[in-house]
Amino acid sequence: MESTLRGHVHKFGKNVDTDVIIPGKYCNIIDPAELGKHALEGIDPEYTARMKAGDIIVADTNFGCGSSREVAPIAIKGSGTSAVIAKSFARIFYRNALNIGLPIFESSEAVDGIESGDEIELEPATGVIRNVTRGTSYQAAQFPPFMQSLIDAGGLVPYVEKRLAEASR
Amino acid sequence: MTLTQKILARHAGLDRVEPGQIINANVDLVLANELSAAVAIGVMRGMKGADRVFDANKIALVEDHFVPAKDAQSAKLAKLMKDFATEQKIKHFFDVGRGGIEHVVLPEEGLVAPGEVIVGGDSHTCTYGAFGAFATGMGSTDIAAAFVLGEVWLKVPATIKIVYSGTLKNHVYAKDLMLRTVGELGIDGATYRAIEYHGSTVDALSITGRITMANMAIEAGAKNGIFHADEKTIAYVQERTDRPFMVERADSDAIYERVIAIDVDDLEPQIACPHTPDNVHPISQVTREDIPLDQVFIGSCTNGYIEDLRVVAKILQGKRISPNVRVIVNPGSQKVWMQAAEEGILTILAAAGCAVNTPGCGACFGGHMGTLGDGERALSTTNRNYVGRMGSPKSEVYLSSPATCAASALTGIITDPRVVDAALV
């Protein structure tokens, strides 16, 4: 399990969709670092210039709505962003983020209690969110048990490998 | 159980499944395009022991997003998928000129049937709910897993039942009905849910109309949108495949999370205004001000079907589009293109001043073949109008039916097709 994540917050509103996370014209790129240069370009063209490695995105409801493009969470991860906290995530983005190893946290209270520029700490193992700037802390929603077991196993790829190994026995 | 629960239970080998339950479901078809496939193939190559796909006849690969290849990078992804198709002996591989937009192609080719479970590396995979199948979009890692295992893990969704009553008026279409529905639900109103479409209005819809409605279930955040298969569905599918399939029905005591009733007797053509697909208004409210257009786009997996092009051709026949607007038409597939050619539709469109393009997804997502510049405004038959969806983040996209697009092409401003039609008489 990953260790503590620490960074400054960049806050966004509701319905940050995949078209603004990684505009369609970049969807023929597969290199994560190259994708990372354009993360959030459709909503905040200065994001990648402003942010520092480890920084954290905080957003309102329905983060990642729209397309199934897996390059959306890949671009966010590729930019050096360490995690996304939102009040809720769109369904496909949620799966994709877990599958590619972008840490995501769901907590309405945390989103309401964190502002742009705050420094925060995240514990991926426990879902604890600490606002270092304001001295507050929050507990993100637990992953459903099946998803937690997938995460603990290292993600979907090791899960598939295990299934294939069992089948070939 | 709801229709979605029934299909998922059978594919999970269970008697019953309940909303919230996590299941492993066998899939009947796995779909990818050159963008989602490129990433999925990379993931599969990195999986130990994953040398072969689970069934070379149950995978469909369609070149459609940046086609014909926009640039060398796009060509590289297209080649990557083509080489994979050859190596894995994938039967259903569709190159440019032999396919078109994935969601238009798969039903045409008989690859979609009632009661099936279909997953695809494209969010509009939910389109196949039009045929009474469970179909949902996923990202590339999930698709890679489905390629090799032939199954996916799913959380069984609760279902929202929508019952439509009444008769659609002249120049009011399935697209207007679905825009109205997305406006009512909101763009996250059906997140993690199935939508089950019911009622006499949708029973009367053509297969194309149901495709348009199922296609946009994702615009309300839904996992899937599904219709019950009827005689029309069965006839459509049996004309295209002799593969056996099982028509499922929701139980009479099925439990729905919500039931919504929508009466369509007074429904006007609808417009989704910038910048979300749920920002939907009746056209009479939108046309109070003249909204000048730079581009009209007709096509996509939502409205790129022959039935759509017939409506457009009927409005544009013998006319010239406004000099202030450019009109781009993408027939949804090679078959739609050929049918439109045979019916003289392509000539009518070209004579009216429309550019008719190769089937593909490019314009809809700001990829290529019709990208908007700074300050430009488009009216489009597509499904999304987020900031920058069709090009520049400083452009605007309005969504409507093909008829509204055609009427607006004549005037250069957003125009009610009923007004244009009245003027013709």
Side-chain angles (χ1 to χ4, degrees):
Chain A
M1 187 49 80
E2 292 154 83
S3 51
T4 306
L5 305 170
R6 190 176 176 118
H8 288 89
V9 165
H10 302 265
K11 200 166 173 184
F12 295 90
K14 283 184 192 175
N15 304 321
V16 175
D17 62 87
T18 54
D19 285 307
V20 298
I21 293 172
I22 186 76
K25 65 179 172 182
Y26 301 122
C27 288
N28 60 356
I29 301 172
I30 44 180
D31 176 52
E34 193 58 35
L35 285 163
K37 291 178 188 167
H38 304 289
L40 281 304
E41 190 174 298
I43 190 171
D44 183 359
E46 306 303 314
Y47 177 70
T48 52
R50 215 176 56 240
M51 60 91 55
K52 294 196 177 59
D55 279 0
I56 292 156
I57 291 172
V58 174
D60 209 286
T61 52
N62 202 27
F63 187 89
C65 62
S67 142
S68 65
R69 59 188 72 160
E70 195 160 292
V71 289
I74 292 174
I76 292 174
K77 198 178 176 196
S79 72
T81 306
S82 65
V84 181
I85 306 171
K87 289 189 178 177
S88 62
F89 291 89
R91 186 188 66 81
I92 306 176
F93 184 92
Y94 183 89
R95 279 182 87 119
N96 287 347
L98 293 175
N99 283 342
I100 65 119
L102 172 68
I104 53 173
F105 298 79
E106 238 176 28
S107 168
S108 292
E109 296 75 25
V111 172
D112 288 337
I114 297 172
E115 294 305 328
S116 273
D118 287 359
E119 188 179 22
I120 60 174
E121 273 184 1
L122 302 170
E123 303 286 351
T126 58
V128 171
I129 302 166
R130 273 188 297 278
N131 188 331
V132 178
T133 304
R134 294 170 200 271
T136 50
S137 76
Y138 307 93
Q139 174 64 53
Q142 301 289 320
F143 290 108
F146 175 79
M147 299 208 68
Q148 191 59 54
S149 69
L150 264 188
I151 296 166
D152 293 345
L156 187 63
V157 171
Y159 167 82
V160 174
E161 288 173 343
K162 190 165 160 251
R163 290 279 310 274
L164 290 171
E166 283 165 6
S168 67
R169 249 177 241 151
Chain B
M1 290 190 288
T2 67
L3 180 51
T4 294
Q5 285 171 264
K6 290 277 276 277
I7 295 172
L8 291 180
R10 185 161 56 79
H11 284 76
L14 300 169
D15 294 334
R16 268 196 87 77
V17 295
E18 300 299 338
Q21 188 177 342
I22 304 274
I23 57 162
N24 272 316
N26 291 313
V27 296
D28 297 295
L29 189 74
V30 187
L31 160 72
N33 56 58
E34 80 273 21
L35 304 186
S36 56
V39 178
I41 292 163
V43 172
M44 186 178 149
R45 299 276 190 232
M47 279 175 179
K48 235 181 309 163
D51 306 323
R52 307 298 306 173
V53 296
F54 81 105
D55 185 338
N57 297 329
K58 290 187 176 176
I59 288 170
L61 300 175
V62 188
E63 309 266 10
D64 65 1
H65 269 62
F66 283 100
V67 298
K70 175 196 175 205
D71 51 22
Q73 173 63 18
S74 306
K76 182 177 149 187
L77 301 193
K79 183 174 187 305
L80 202 158
M81 185 167 83
K82 185 180 178 182
D83 290 348
F84 178 77
T86 307
E87 170 204 302
Q88 296 286 329
K89 300 186 170 62
I90 304 288
K91 186 175 166 194
H92 305 296
F93 167 73
F94 300 93
D95 210 334
V96 181
R98 276 157 285 180
I101 301 172
E102 50 200 324
H103 309 307
V104 184
V105 171
L106 265 50
E108 277 177 350
E109 297 294 328
L111 295 175
V112 174
E116 294 186 335
V117 169
I118 298 162
V119 296
D122 188 276
S123 61
H124 290 108
T125 301
C126 56
T127 305
Y128 315 125
F131 297 88
F134 173 87
T136 194
M138 292 182 167
S140 294
T141 301
D142 276 311
I143 291 302
F147 275 172
V148 297
L149 294 180
E151 63 177 53
V152 292
W153 73 265
L154 293 166
K155 186 162 88 174
V156 177
T159 297
I160 299 172
K161 177 179 184 176
I162 309 182
V163 185
Y164 300 90
S165 59
T167 308
L168 293 172
K169 287 216 174 82
N170 192 30
H171 282 313
V172 183
Y173 299 89
K175 180 63 167 288
D176 300 301
L177 200 49
M178 195 55 197
L179 287 174
R180 164 86 171 71
T181 304
V182 173
E184 170 124 1
L185 288 168
I187 51 172
D188 57 356
T191 300
Y192 291 100
R193 305 294 186 272
I195 296 174
E196 206 174 279
Y197 303 93
H198 285 260
S200 57
T201 315
V202 298
D203 291 343
L205 286 178
S206 66
I207 293 295
T208 300
R210 295 178 196 172
I211 285 174
T212 301
M213 292 190 70
N215 174 271
M216 288 188 70
I218 180 70
E219 267 54 75
K223 177 172 261 178
N224 66 313
I226 192 163
F227 288 82
H228 279 90
D230 62 8
E231 307 76 44
K232 276 184 263 195
T233 323
I234 292 165
Y236 180 101
V237 173
Q238 285 181 340
E239 275 169 34
R240 290 163 177 82
T241 181
D242 48 18
R243 180 171 83 257
F245 55 85
M246 189 185 284
V247 174
E248 300 276 10
R249 297 206 64 80
D251 294 328
S252 55
D253 60 352
I255 295 168
Y256 295 94
E257 187 185 70
R258 272 176 86 187
V259 180
I260 298 170
I262 297 182
D263 187 80
V264 307
D265 276 338
D266 296 323
L267 190 74
E268 292 181 31
Q270 304 284 305
I271 303 279
C273 297
H275 289 284
T276 49
D278 64 348
N279 186 16
V280 175
H281 304 275
I283 196 164
S284 58
Q285 287 177 18
V286 178
T287 51
R288 275 183 206 152
E289 291 172 50
D290 290 346
I291 300 172
L293 301 168
D294 300 286
Q295 177 167 306
V296 169
F297 179 76
I298 295 162
S300 83
C301 53
T302 316
N303 279 127
Y305 302 85
I306 189 66
E307 198 175 303
D308 299 315
L309 298 185
R310 285 177 187 143
V311 169
V312 172
K314 203 171 163 200
I315 294 171
L316 297 185
Q317 181 153 32
K319 303 259 181 319
R320 294 284 297 172
I321 59 170
S322 160
N324 301 324
V325 70
R326 60 177 182 274
V327 179
I328 297 170
V329 183
N330 274 42
S333 70
Q334 190 77 359
K335 283 189 175 163
V336 172
W337 196 101
M338 286 175 67
Q339 181 72 25
E342 275 171 31
E343 295 182 20
I345 290 171
L346 300 186
T347 308
I348 291 169
L349 299 178
C354 304
V356 182
N357 275 349
T358 304
C361 312
C364 170
F365 74 99
H368 81 145
M369 308 267 275
T371 310
L372 298 177
D374 287 357
E376 287 201 310
R377 183 183 292 127
L379 181 67
S380 176
T381 67
T382 51
N383 40 50
R384 287 190 182 134
N385 59 348
Y386 294 118
V387 171
R389 172 67 180 179
M390 294 183 79
S392 164
K394 292 173 184 152
S395 62
E396 287 185 348
V397 179
Y398 290 73
L399 305 175
S400 79
S401 74
T404 303
C405 273
S408 306
L410 292 174
T411 58
I413 58 173
I414 294 180
T415 301
D416 190 330
R418 297 170 301 177
V419 174
V420 169
D421 210 22
L424 296 179
V425 187

